[in-house]
Amino acid sequence: MTRYVMVADLRRCVGCQTCTAACRHINGTPPGVQWRRVLDMEIGVYPDVHRAFVPVGCQHCSDPPCLDVCPSTATRKRDDGIVTIDYDICIGCSYCAVACPYDARYKVSRAEFAYGGEGMANEQAVFDPRRINVATKCTFCVDRIDAGTAKGLTPGVDPEATPACVNSCIAQALHFGDIDDPDSNVSKLVRDNEHFRMHEELGTNPGFYYLWDAAGEEEK
Amino acid sequence: MRGITPYRQNYWDWRAAGNFMYGGTGSGLIVSSLLALAYGEPTLLHVLIGLVFMGTGLGLVWLEIGRPFRALNVFLHPQRSWMTREGFVATVAFGVGAAAMWFGHALLIAGTAALALLFLYCQAHILQASKGIPAWREPTLAPLIIATGLTEGVAASLALVSAAFTMTMVALVVLLTLRAWSWRRYRLASETGMPTAAARVLAAFSMPFLLLGHVLPLALLIADMALGNRYPALTYFAAVLAFGSGWTFKFMVVRYAAQTQGFAIIHRPARGPRGSGGEGVKPGWGS
């Protein structure tokens, strides 16, 4: 089996938001819609204060609450673990948006572009009217993955088959790959480092791993 | 722009709240027709008004969805979606209810009442399946939503019954007590299992809800019963309070206590060559 997941190395992320910009560029999301966000979290109390930059978005859960609630079956999970939305049958009820504990879903009611008007060339190139009034979210750049794997490329290794946010990351904090393959980049990262997943207690089995220290460092 | 801490969701507005308000009362009213049925009183108005209320609630949802002309796609996922199940149950209830009004057979009325109860059960679970909103996914909310719908329905039915009046009053006393108990369970759960902002909304709502929605109507009902039903105005006022407080409660839960989950990291990352990890943070969830 294959399960594609994202790994975010919180030790490396510098909060530059390049992944956010890359996602917006390639997917043409409207203002206010960020399928890939980076949170700037403050931890502790003065004078012992720390910052952490935390990339978030759809976690492509193995047990996605959005899939359970969707009345139209527009939300589906592929065999490779990627959670998708069929814009042609979604009724825009937003039930998935209130079911997602990761605040990953968006719905816009009109076409909008970054600088108004008809939009820039890159926005026009990827503009999809089917996305109006329906739920949208991060797709793990599923089109790139499908096109890449069709050419025999490996997602997470070959940039042509890898999500745009991962390709753009200046700090190599974001990684993508098949967690079911023990030799994949993401499997090694998860094996060699201390990690956690967000809101695991809700039983979603998210496909987004956060690295926070080298393995074995916790006991220091 | 969305932040890190839980914020009040804006996906479901007053129209979604209206579905729970009208749907709860409508289904409760149809269920309450069983009392009238037991006393041989007319029940068709219960069923008719109840179905109109349920239909109004569903109509409000239709106004809220982004692609209203695809509304029939709501029926595609009965295996797992409570929204689909609600749609199916409502459709069957409208059919059986229409037949009950046409033929007036007691079995059909009882069948409509059973379907109305199922509809209310679906509504309660629609909220509970919303894992992104802690105030909705809290398990003690589902029985509270059901108790509220039944209370509103029985309160509304007092305007339609005569022979079953006293028994309906007793039913209202029982349901108000049940709703107060359910509310207490929900409130206790909210103190630990919800974002601070949601817990604050519920805390502020609690005392007025208990006093005006439960204590006062119970006192009025009991007073009227003790006085031998000589002052039905007391009972009608109690019914208005029971009904109005139920609607206010549902509007409050859907619109004002609906804080999102927010974000959390359970470990602080080690940064820099000499950095070390530590405890994480869960903003908006108390200290």
Side-chain angles (χ1 to χ4, degrees), chain B residues 102-118:
Chain B
W102 184 261
F103 296 108
H105 197 282
L107 265 181
L108 288 169
I109 291 163
T112 312
L115 287 162
L117 191 59
L118 200 55

Side-chain angles (χ1 to χ4, degrees), chain B residues 12-102:
Chain B
W12 284 7
D13 60 14
W14 62 272
R15 291 165 291 190
N19 181 36
F20 295 102
M21 291 150 74
Y22 278 98
T25 301
S27 50
L29 188 57
I30 296 172
V31 172
S32 76
S33 70
L34 293 174
L35 273 174
L37 196 63
Y39 280 79
E41 287 201 34
T43 53
L44 298 188
L45 260 183
H46 291 77
V47 176
L48 177 64
I49 299 171
L51 290 177
V52 168
F53 267 60
M54 283 166 61
T56 304
L58 294 172
L60 288 172
V61 172
W62 184 76
L63 290 177
E64 177 144 55
I65 63 176
R67 298 279 187 161
F69 296 111
R70 295 180 188 169
L72 290 180
N73 287 356
V74 81
F75 293 109
L76 296 178
H77 200 196
Q79 303 93 326
R80 288 158 98 165
S81 174
W82 284 102
M83 193 178 275
T84 301
R85 291 168 186 169
E86 180 201 38
F88 270 116
V89 171
T91 305
V92 179
F94 285 124
V96 177
M101 283 187 287
W102 184 261

Side-chain angles (χ1 to χ4, degrees), chain A:
Chain A
M1 289 294 285
T2 296
R3 187 185 178 197
Y4 290 121
V5 302
M6 192 80 74
V7 172
D9 191 338
L10 299 182
R11 298 165 301 182
R12 284 174 166 266
C13 182
V14 294
C16 67
Q17 312 278 350
T18 306
C19 53
T20 305
C23 172
R24 292 201 57 195
H25 180 83
I26 204 156
N27 291 302
T29 55
V33 175
Q34 295 182 349
W35 290 352
R36 170 69 61 243
R37 277 194 285 167
V38 182
L39 309 176
D40 184 347
M41 299 180 90
E42 190 177 290
I43 308 156
V45 180
Y46 177 84
D48 185 23
V49 181
H50 301 260
R51 284 171 86 185
F53 301 104
V54 184
V56 293
C58 176
Q59 312 269 315
H60 294 270
C61 305
S62 189
D63 299 309
C66 54
L67 186 151
D68 285 341
V69 301
C70 178
S72 67
T73 65
T75 296
R76 292 175 201 155
K77 186 163 67 98
R78 305 193 336 167
D79 289 341
D80 58 11
I82 297 177
V83 177
T84 60
I85 301 172
D86 185 338
Y87 301 135
D88 291 325
I89 64 171
C90 176
I91 62 172
C93 66
S94 299
Y95 196 6
C96 54
V98 293
C100 174
Y102 303 99
D103 202 17
R105 298 221 168 197
Y106 295 84
K107 186 174 89 173
V108 298
S109 57
R110 62 180 182 278
E112 271 192 285
F113 302 100
Y115 295 100
E118 297 296 308
M120 295 180 289
N122 76 298
E123 289 176 310
Q124 278 300 333
V126 294
F127 175 69
D128 185 351
R130 296 179 309 154
R131 283 200 214 147
I132 307 295
N133 276 325
V134 299
T136 69
K137 67 169 190 70
C138 158
T139 65
F140 267 177
C141 290
V142 69
D143 295 341
R144 294 172 65 85
I145 292 170
D146 287 348
T149 49
K151 291 180 191 172
L153 303 175
T154 305
V157 175
D158 299 302
E160 208 179 323
T162 301
C165 56
V166 176
N167 287 337
S168 72
C169 182
I170 62 165
Q172 290 192 327
L174 285 177
H175 302 267
F176 184 79
D178 176 11
I179 195 81
D180 284 351
D181 174 3
D183 297 322
S184 71
N185 54 341
V186 290
S187 290
K188 288 175 185 165
L189 283 167
V190 167
R191 196 162 53 233
D192 295 342
N193 292 282
E194 298 288 351
H195 62 272
F196 65 87
R197 292 183 293 174
M198 199 181 287
H199 302 329
E200 261 192 296
E201 70 281 7
L202 297 178
T204 54
N205 195 357
F208 214 113
Y209 292 78
Y210 295 99
L211 309 184
W212 63 278
D213 210 347
E217 297 293 300
E218 196 176 10
E219 290 78 26
K220 274 184 183 175

